[in-house]
Amino acid sequence: MSFYQRLNAAWDRSGSMLCVGLDPDVSRFPTSMRGSVDAIENFCKAIVDATGDLVCAFKPQIAYFAAVGAEKQLENICEYIRAKFPDVVLILDSKRGDIGDTASLYAREAFSRYGADAVTVNPYLGTDSLEPFLKTPGKGTIVLCRTSNAGSSEFQSLEIDGEPVYLRVARTAATKWRSTGECALVVGATYPDELAQVRAIVGDMPILVPGIGAQGGDINAVIRAGATRPSSSPASQATTKAGTTRPNSSAASRAANFAARRGLIINSSRAILYASDGANFATSARDVALATRDAIIAAG
Amino acid sequence: MSFYQRLNAAWDRSGSMLCVGLDPDVSRFPTSMRGSVDAIENFCKAIVDATGDLVCAFKPQIAYFAAVGAEKQLENICEYIRAKFPDVVLILDSKRGDIGDTASLYAREAFSRYGADAVTVNPYLGTDSLEPFLKTPGKGTIVLCRTSNAGSSEFQSLEIDGEPVYLRVARTAATKWRSTGECALVVGATYPDELAQVRAIVGDMPILVPGIGAQGGDINAVIRAGATRPSSSPASQATTKAGTTRPNSSAASRAANFAARRGLIINSSRAILYASDGANFATSARDVALATRDAIIAAG
């Protein structure tokens, strides 16, 4: 099964474009686990159990594991996700970028060691640095395009012949990289105008959107700017239009509304993971994930 | 002690601008160790022992460890380098690039977990993504500028108002980043013209130069384009000039020649590590490292 097929199946089965980011910060763990590096695995597994039916993807951020020497725990968490929620897409967020031979090793890290379906990578070194990822059959290569941080414009928005670098990245993704493998892009929720520009260039290519939740990105703006609308469902477009005025909570219209939208993997990490620091942290995480999923479905 | 002071002291004590890159590829190990992930630590320690007196720096490439789950071995190798060769600069080559909180964790990985003196990072996400590294006291932040791979021009050479992106990176390094912390740059030996352009912008900022050896970069061209000449040693400049016609092998003139040059950390990995696949691999590695060091000293 290709990465695109897996992702489409995950959207269909879950009815959700929400991705939960696994950023285990031991200093923000529930009181009973706080500060314990050994608790990372149990914390993440509890979040996975509590939210697995609400998401299209999980996205562990490897820095949280690498900083404290918890790679083995990350291996176990990835294995757990694949076993418990085999239809959920597993994205390793490692933003790797290196030359040929070294890039091949990073591809091996993501796809073999951690069994990820997709990995985030950095385009600065050029196409040859991305090829080991793009050429891995059945795997997704999610290239940084316009990142969610305040300083992302410094290089990403430099203009070449009137076109910013991030649109050059999007154009290269839509042509060269897509012809080589299963490419996707990262565009921050904090830049909805740029997201709309990227969407206009890349057609139905999947876009990973970090930056809602703790970073303050607006879900309505993200959906309007970045969601795709399959041409086969004109009826649901009407439903979507109705949904722009207020969230619609009935399951049927929610499903119809969702059926009209695809194309985004909308990530939230901290707002879900640290919804509560009490013994009920997993339940609280589920509540926030559910509300976020529904806000995404109702948005427009 | 600052990173710049440590690096200057390493150049002075070793009389060398050579850096040995630790890229342990188990498929190229000596026959007796070949294919053994467990042998990575012993292989690297043998290379360190054989070359430690010939180098200003060691540069482990973390992908080689991450691909096979050998982070603990990397920890041990880093500890070994610091204990056996405390004056040699330890550079973690990880090319990290991520936003604020995550970047802080990658800084912790490099500087605390592995005890590196410096780390390579990617500028695509902008200044705020580099600050956690730049603001770590006494540590070096080595930013990718113009990488050694064939495809590096694709984004790095895009022109903004007549200036390529890599020179914009160099200019930002020379001003903003240098005022925040101890910044250095990566420029590939395979692009000596670009190295000269970068050197003209960044003054005496250290530049890490990969791409000699297996990648084919020319040492003479690298030295001519990128080495700095301390203004305090006019006598050695005369020696250097004489040295341009042919390598000078006497120890005294070699020292004088070297005294005129600084500013570069010239990396070679595979040509040294895999000089032989026999039981004599460490001796062979030392022979190649010695020849490379002397070629750097004699070059110009």
Side-chain angles (χ1 to χ4, degrees):
Chain A
M1 195 186 251
S2 77
F3 168 67
Y4 289 155
Q5 286 172 330
R6 274 188 64 79
L7 181 57
N8 273 303
W11 279 326
D12 287 345
R13 289 204 191 90
S14 67
S16 172
M17 292 197 288
L18 176 64
C19 170
V20 169
L22 299 174
D23 298 9
D25 175 353
V26 298
S27 74
R28 301 185 68 182
F29 275 9
T31 318
S32 61
M33 302 176 164
R34 189 161 303 163
S36 167
V37 168
D38 294 340
I40 288 176
E41 185 174 334
N42 289 337
F43 176 81
C44 288
K45 285 180 174 175
I47 296 290
V48 166
D49 284 338
T51 61
D53 63 319
L54 304 176
V55 303
C56 64
F58 283 114
K59 181 180 73 63
Q61 165 51 262
I62 198 168
Y64 285 81
F65 300 85
V68 294
E71 284 86 2
K72 182 64 191 166
Q73 293 188 67
L74 177 56
E75 287 179 13
N76 294 344
I77 292 161
C78 290
E79 195 180 334
Y80 188 78
I81 291 169
R82 293 197 309 275
K84 287 269 304 227
F85 297 99
D87 299 329
V88 171
V89 166
L90 175 59
I91 299 168
L92 185 71
D93 193 359
S94 55
K95 301 186 178 66
R96 299 309 193 214
D98 215 307
I99 65 173
D101 286 352
T102 311
S104 299
L105 293 163
Y106 281 130
R108 183 171 163 193
E109 175 195 43
F111 301 140
S112 299
R113 180 178 185 191
Y114 294 113
D117 298 305
V119 62
T120 56
V121 296
N122 187 308
Y124 187 71
L125 284 83
T127 295
D128 56 353
S129 74
L130 305 180
E131 284 181 341
F133 300 96
L134 288 165
K135 289 183 173 173
T136 305
K139 299 296 186 179
T141 304
I142 307 177
V143 186
L144 299 183
C145 179
R146 175 67 195 231
T147 55
S148 62
N149 56 314
S152 66
S153 64
E154 187 171 13
F155 296 106
Q156 296 166 26
S157 295
L158 289 175
E159 295 217 342
I160 305 107
D161 300 333
E163 181 181 68
V165 168
Y166 67 87
L167 290 185
R168 179 67 68 102
V169 169
R171 211 172 288 285
T172 311
T175 54
K176 200 183 330 189
W177 300 336
R178 190 155 192 170
S179 73
T180 307
E182 299 188 75
C183 189
L185 291 173
V186 174
V187 180
T190 42
Y191 298 104
D193 293 344
E194 288 81 346
L195 176 58
Q197 294 174 321
V198 171
R199 175 56 76 203
I201 288 174
V202 301
D204 62 354
M205 181 179 287
I207 301 179
L208 171 62
V209 182
I212 66 161
Q215 292 183 63
D218 178 67
I219 291 175
N220 285 300
V222 164
I223 293 293
R224 282 196 299 266
T228 58
R229 296 177 184 278
S231 53
S232 58
S233 54
S236 28
Q237 286 190 23
T239 311
T240 307
K241 201 171 176 186
T244 56
T245 50
R246 69 180 67 181
N248 189 325
S249 61
S250 90
S253 66
R254 207 166 58 211
N257 203 17
F258 182 78
R261 317 268 192 64
R262 284 294 184 276
L264 299 178
I265 305 164
I266 302 174
N267 185 76
S268 179
S269 303
R270 289 168 283 179
I272 292 172
L273 268 56
Y274 309 114
S276 158
D277 65 357
N280 64 336
F281 73 95
T283 315
S284 297
R286 179 176 178 81
D287 291 345
V288 175
L290 190 60
T292 310
R293 181 200 71 171
D294 287 350
I296 292 169
I297 291 172
Chain B
M1 195 187 252
S2 77
F3 168 66
Y4 289 154
Q5 286 171 331
R6 274 188 66 79
L7 181 57
N8 273 304
W11 280 325
D12 286 344
R13 289 204 191 90
S14 68
S16 172
M17 293 198 287
L18 176 64
C19 170
V20 169
L22 300 173
D23 298 10
D25 175 353
V26 297
S27 74
R28 301 185 67 183
F29 274 9
T31 317
S32 62
M33 303 175 165
R34 189 161 303 162
S36 166
V37 168
D38 293 340
I40 288 175
E41 185 174 333
N42 288 337
F43 176 81
C44 288
K45 284 180 174 175
I47 297 290
V48 166
D49 284 337
T51 61
D53 63 318
L54 304 175
V55 303
C56 64
F58 284 114
K59 181 179 73 63
Q61 164 52 262
I62 199 169
Y64 285 81
F65 301 85
V68 295
E71 283 86 2
K72 182 63 191 166
Q73 294 188 67
L74 177 56
E75 287 178 13
N76 294 344
I77 292 161
C78 290
E79 195 179 333
Y80 188 78
I81 292 169
R82 293 197 310 275
K84 286 271 303 227
F85 297 98
D87 299 329
V88 171
V89 167
L90 176 59
I91 300 168
L92 184 71
D93 193 359
S94 55
K95 300 187 179 65
R96 299 309 193 212
D98 215 307
I99 65 173
D101 285 353
T102 311
S104 299
L105 292 163
Y106 281 130
R108 183 171 163 192
E109 175 195 43
F111 301 139
S112 299
R113 181 179 184 189
Y114 295 112
D117 298 305
V119 62
T120 56
V121 296
N122 186 308
Y124 188 70
L125 285 83
T127 295
D128 55 354
S129 74
L130 305 180
E131 284 180 342
F133 301 96
L134 289 165
K135 289 183 173 172
T136 305
K139 300 295 187 179
T141 304
I142 307 177
V143 186
L144 298 182
C145 178
R146 175 68 193 229
T147 55
S148 61
N149 56 314
S152 66
S153 64
E154 187 170 12
F155 295 107
Q156 296 166 26
S157 295
L158 289 175
E159 293 216 342
I160 306 107
D161 300 332
E163 182 181 66
V165 168
Y166 68 87
L167 290 184
R168 179 65 69 102
V169 169
R171 210 173 290 285
T172 311
T175 53
K176 200 183 329 188
W177 300 336
R178 189 156 193 170
S179 72
T180 306
E182 299 188 76
C183 189
L185 291 173
V186 174
V187 180
T190 41
Y191 298 103
D193 293 345
E194 289 82 345
L195 176 58
Q197 294 173 322
V198 170
R199 174 57 75 203
I201 287 174
V202 302
D204 63 352
M205 182 179 287
I207 302 178
L208 171 63
V209 182
I212 66 161
Q215 291 184 63
D218 178 67
I219 292 175
N220 284 301
V222 165
I223 293 293
R224 282 196 298 268
T228 58
R229 298 177 181 279
S231 53
S232 57
S233 53
S236 29
Q237 285 190 22
T239 310
T240 306
K241 201 171 175 188
T244 55
T245 50
R246 69 179 65 181
N248 188 327
S249 63
S250 90
S253 67
R254 208 167 58 211
N257 203 19
F258 181 78
R261 317 266 190 65
R262 285 294 185 276
L264 300 178
I265 305 164
I266 301 174
N267 186 75
S268 180
S269 302
R270 288 169 284 180
I272 291 172
L273 268 55
Y274 310 113
S276 158
D277 65 358
N280 64 337
F281 74 95
T283 314
S284 297
R286 179 177 177 79
D287 291 344
V288 176
L290 190 59
T292 310
R293 182 201 70 172
D294 287 349
I296 292 169
I297 290 171

